[in-house]
Amino acid sequence: MRIGIVCPYDWSVPGGVKQHIQDLTESLIELGHYVNVLTPTSAEELLPSYATNAGSTIALPYNGSIARIKFDPAAFTRTRNWLRQGKFDILHLHEPTSPSPAIIAAWSARGPIVATHHTANDSMYAVKNMQFLLQPMMEKVIARIAVSQEAKDTMIEHFGGDAVVIPNGVRVSNFSNATKLSGFDQDKTIVFVGRLDEPRKGLQNLLEAMPQVFAQYSDLKLLLVGPGDKQEILKAIDAKYHSNIEFKGFVSSEVKASCYASATVYVAPNLGGESFGIVLLEAMASGTPVLASDLPAFKQVLEDGKYGKLFETNNVNDLATSLIEILGNKSERENLTKQGLTRAKQFDWSVIVRQILDVYEAVKSVEGRNVREDFRGQLYGRLTKTGRLDRRRVKNSFLTE
Amino acid sequence: MDTSNWVLIASGLILFAIYLSNVAGRLDRLHLKVENARNALDRQLALRSAICSDIAGLDLLDEKLRSRLANAIHASISEETLEVHTPNEWKIESEVTKALGELFDKDFDINKYPNHKNLIQEAAGATRRVQYALTFYNDAATSVIKVRKRWIVRSFRLFGRARMPVLLDLDVQIPHGLEHC
């Protein structure tokens, strides 16, 4: 199958959606499909061979964080060229509501179009203001996928209709084979992964809870993995604990896997805005027990505590007591390691990609034709044959009287 | 009235006509989408019956449940060969879903059947595709229903001769035992 995927955000900036697209693409290529990804990027030389540059990006605040996206006239030409040359059987858009090549592709193409919604956030203000413009484009999408129940609910709230839920995947082998970092005692290390300066990741709550935990375990190390201002973080916690805190900064995914593997417990104190707990699955795939806030998305991944420990979201005391409890209970940790690995394997990309291919199959049989440029509604299209509607009616149609 | 007023009225009417034509065109595309989605659902249901009849023939699983599945599939295949849709259709297909659900309940473990892994995975894929096709059909039907409820569409009969699509209520639950295959 020839599959065209559109990534809405800058390829050179790491993020959940980009990681999802990269893993999906590589899994599809492993199965022998032809895949090409159209993505904005600010570093063309770093693009993998399966990606096409859609231009450089500008930073815009979107969905509670900074999105580096692309939306200008040159992007239209590039997108149309890419569509013409790709001759795709399936066009797969991601986050089709963000102002990005995804919208442009939806506007320029017709045929078997699939869209994945990643966001679970009520403040999609860009969408609310542009809904009347987006609706006709969204109607061209034949199959909609949501990465979680929350993402599906958000999508239905804005556009109505229905979507199938296919969760995010994780490449288990990348994490389970990771080497451990030197200098960390695997019985005395807590790891946090995420942007340090983003309030919804909840690091400030963890820092507030740490003095209680350090009081019990004075030689404990807190390993913070992710970009952010070191000094700001250190200001938030008593100077006598500074030696217990280690910063890794922004790391490659291999080092990230090693960080998980070296830890006693992985903590996810997130406050909201998470549509799917991919970080939890990464930790579980590394064999590290998970302690997470009881956000709906996390509860679903951990199946109400079966596969990891939960504490009340935004409750610093509960976080501290749960941490102390799990650090003191080795058999519980061993059990969670075992359970977590089983859970992670259910979300391995080798499993998830089959479900996505099932969507492609179902959609292909809906349309029966490949992806092509859409001239309907444009002056050129109205004056020539290309823009006219398909009059190919099916015999004995149940809709026509 | 002077000429400029007439020009204003005429251009207003022309713009309104273009708008109506646009809405009608959009509605027509949506109807086509519903129709295609419905055909895809029929095809996926037929595929499921075909693959699952092989499952019913496996002599590994529980005899009683297998014969229930075989009966359900027999009914669905004779239904699917009919040219017209009957009201009974959804009951029959839901019965196939239920029979599969009992055969592959939550205690089912695919690793116990290494020789038939491919067949079971194919069946899992077929049940998933039925669920997806139904979702896409209902998604398309909802958007048509939403547009057709608008007063401008109703008063100008912009839907032409197309019938109002109906939302389908059909049991397409993926069997517990096949969820992670």
Side-chain angles (χ1 to χ4, degrees):
Chain A
M1 221 186 282
R2 293 178 70 85
I3 301 148
I5 297 181
V6 183
C7 173
Y9 307 130
D10 192 331
W11 193 266
S12 56
V13 178
V17 176
K18 182 243 161 181
Q19 190 62 47
H20 175 104
I21 294 171
Q22 187 181 345
D23 290 342
L24 168 64
T25 306
E26 285 166 9
S27 313
L28 285 168
I29 289 173
E30 269 167 33
L31 290 176
H33 299 282
Y34 171 83
V35 188
N36 200 291
V37 181
L38 180 72
T39 177
T41 181
S42 42
E44 193 173 5
E45 63 284 358
L46 296 178
L47 276 188
S49 58
Y50 52 72
T52 304
N53 186 6
S56 61
T57 59
I58 41 165
L60 268 187
Y62 178 73
N63 189 20
S65 59
I66 301 290
R68 302 182 160 274
I69 51 179
K70 174 78 184 169
F71 198 59
D72 71 15
F76 280 81
T77 323
R78 282 176 200 250
T79 307
R80 279 193 177 265
N81 282 342
W82 176 76
L83 276 173
R84 239 196 319 268
Q85 284 157 13
K87 296 193 180 68
F88 301 115
D89 296 314
I90 293 282
L91 178 64
H92 191 161
L93 313 173
H94 287 265
E95 211 68 303
T97 53
S98 65
S100 72
I103 281 191
I104 302 174
W107 190 76
S108 325
R110 60 190 295 202
I113 302 177
V114 180
T116 298
H117 293 253
H118 296 263
T119 316
N121 194 337
D122 286 325
S123 60
M124 290 167 55
Y125 57 87
V127 172
K128 273 184 194 138
N129 300 332
M130 289 163 59
Q131 195 141 2
F132 73 102
L133 280 174
L134 284 175
Q135 196 75 44
M137 267 176 252
M138 294 302 294
E139 280 166 2
K140 286 201 218 166
V141 175
I142 288 172
R144 295 192 276 181
I145 303 173
V147 293
S148 65
Q149 192 57 43
E150 285 67 43
K152 177 173 159 178
D153 293 343
T154 310
M155 187 222 85
I156 289 175
E157 196 184 307
H158 288 283
F159 294 101
D162 208 351
V164 299
V165 176
I166 298 181
N168 251 315
V170 62
R171 296 207 126 197
V172 174
S173 59
N174 286 0
F175 290 93
S176 57
N177 301 329
T179 48
K180 292 185 173 59
L181 297 173
S182 58
F184 288 94
D185 181 349
Q186 217 192 343
D187 279 333
K188 296 278 164 56
T189 308
I190 299 175
V191 68
F192 167 93
V193 177
R195 285 174 218 161
L196 305 183
D197 46 11
E198 207 174 291
R200 62 191 178 118
K201 300 283 179 204
L203 178 61
Q204 67 278 24
N205 278 11
L206 179 62
L207 292 175
E208 225 177 287
M210 282 320 285
Q212 289 183 50
V213 187
F214 285 140
Q216 295 266 338
Y217 300 93
S218 54
D219 52 350
L220 196 68
K221 281 255 192 294
L222 174 62
L223 179 57
L224 302 178
V225 184
D229 186 2
K230 223 164 147 173
Q231 296 311 319
E232 282 293 309
I233 304 298
L234 288 174
K235 247 186 260 168
I237 194 161
D238 199 322
K240 67 178 174 191
Y241 300 124
H242 284 185
S243 59
N244 295 70
I245 301 179
E246 295 256 356
F247 291 89
K248 271 279 165 206
F250 170 69
V251 295
S252 67
S253 48
E254 289 82 47
V255 180
K256 190 166 80 173
S258 302
C259 292
Y260 285 123
S262 320
T264 329
V265 56
Y266 163 75
V267 185
N270 300 43
L271 303 179
E274 287 302 311
S275 86
F276 187 81
I278 192 73
V279 273
L280 306 190
L281 286 174
E282 288 176 356
M284 287 192 269
S286 315
T288 308
V290 170
L291 174 66
S293 50
D294 58 357
L295 297 172
F298 287 177
K299 258 164 94 172
Q300 216 172 334
V301 170
L302 299 179
E303 228 166 70
D304 291 319
K306 188 178 168 198
Y307 299 106
K309 206 173 163 71
L310 291 162
F311 67 92
E312 198 187 321
T313 307
N314 210 1
N315 181 339
V316 174
N317 278 327
D318 196 20
L319 169 56
T321 30
S322 309
L323 250 178
I324 293 168
E325 240 171 63
I326 200 168
L327 284 167
N329 190 341
K330 192 159 184 168
S331 67
E332 188 189 5
R333 289 203 313 265
E334 275 167 1
N335 179 39
L336 287 180
T337 297
K338 213 175 95 205
Q339 292 278 16
L341 207 57
T342 329
R343 185 61 166 169
K345 277 183 187 151
Q346 293 176 353
F347 292 89
D348 188 51
W349 265 107
S350 64
V351 177
I352 302 296
V353 77
R354 277 209 300 273
Q355 303 182 9
I356 300 218
L357 278 167
D358 281 331
V359 171
Y360 293 168
E361 282 301 328
V363 171
K364 246 176 51 169
S365 61
V366 173
E367 268 276 324
R369 288 182 66 184
N370 60 353
V371 180
R372 55 219 185 269
E373 274 185 276
D374 193 355
F375 293 106
R376 295 170 302 185
Q378 293 183 22
L379 191 60
Y380 169 70
R382 283 182 182 245
L383 297 176
T384 57
K385 210 169 78 179
T386 42
R388 286 194 206 136
L389 295 173
D390 274 335
R391 286 290 158 214
R392 212 162 36 96
R393 288 287 183 193
V394 191
K395 223 172 39 174
N396 293 335
S397 161
F398 77 104
L399 273 178
T400 340
E401 281 171 73
Chain B
M1 272 205 279
D2 57 26
T3 346
S4 65
N5 272 350
W6 283 114
V7 170
L8 257 177
I9 291 172
S11 49
L13 279 177
I14 290 171
L15 281 179
F16 186 60
I18 291 176
Y19 171 70
L20 284 186
S21 144
N22 266 340
V23 176
R26 181 179 152 208
L27 197 53
D28 189 49
R29 286 200 291 275
L30 282 176
H31 275 117
L32 195 64
K33 181 171 149 187
V34 174
E35 222 166 77
N36 286 334
R38 173 59 184 270
N39 288 325
L41 175 61
D42 287 346
R43 199 165 321 153
Q44 295 303 341
L45 283 169
L47 270 171
R48 181 180 72 167
S49 301
I51 291 170
C52 292
S53 63
D54 288 350
I55 293 278
L58 282 185
D59 55 356
L60 301 162
L61 304 158
D62 184 86
E63 172 86 51
K64 237 185 177 162
L65 296 177
R66 273 197 297 124
S67 73
R68 182 183 168 185
L69 178 64
N71 289 336
I73 287 172
H74 182 74
S76 81
I77 289 177
S78 36
E79 169 73 33
E80 280 153 10
T81 51
L82 293 179
E83 286 275 314
V84 282
H85 295 286
T86 65
N88 228 356
E89 188 181 359
W90 309 125
K91 233 188 258 167
I92 292 170
E93 297 294 354
S94 298
E95 171 61 21
V96 176
T97 307
K98 285 198 189 77
L100 278 168
E102 273 181 31
L103 197 57
F104 300 107
D105 60 4
K106 62 182 191 314
D107 300 323
F108 176 80
D109 182 8
I110 189 170
N111 296 322
K112 284 187 198 151
Y113 308 94
N115 295 335
H116 302 280
K117 206 172 171 187
N118 279 342
L119 180 60
I120 294 169
Q121 276 183 347
E122 246 179 75
T127 58
R128 273 201 301 267
R129 285 195 298 273
V130 166
Q131 192 190 54
Y132 296 166
L134 178 72
T135 308
F136 303 149
Y137 169 82
N138 278 339
D139 183 29
T142 315
S143 53
V144 169
I145 292 168
K146 210 166 108 193
V147 176
R148 282 182 68 150
K149 273 192 183 146
R150 287 163 57 183
W151 70 268
I152 201 151
V153 174
R154 277 183 288 134
S155 26
F156 288 89
R157 285 188 64 85
L158 297 182
F159 42 84
R161 281 171 301 144
R163 251 186 251 169
M164 184 73 110
V166 280
L167 294 180
L168 296 179
D169 187 20
L170 165 66
D171 183 0
V172 289
Q173 187 67 43
I174 296 168
H176 277 295
L178 297 182
E179 258 170 17
H180 299 288
C181 288

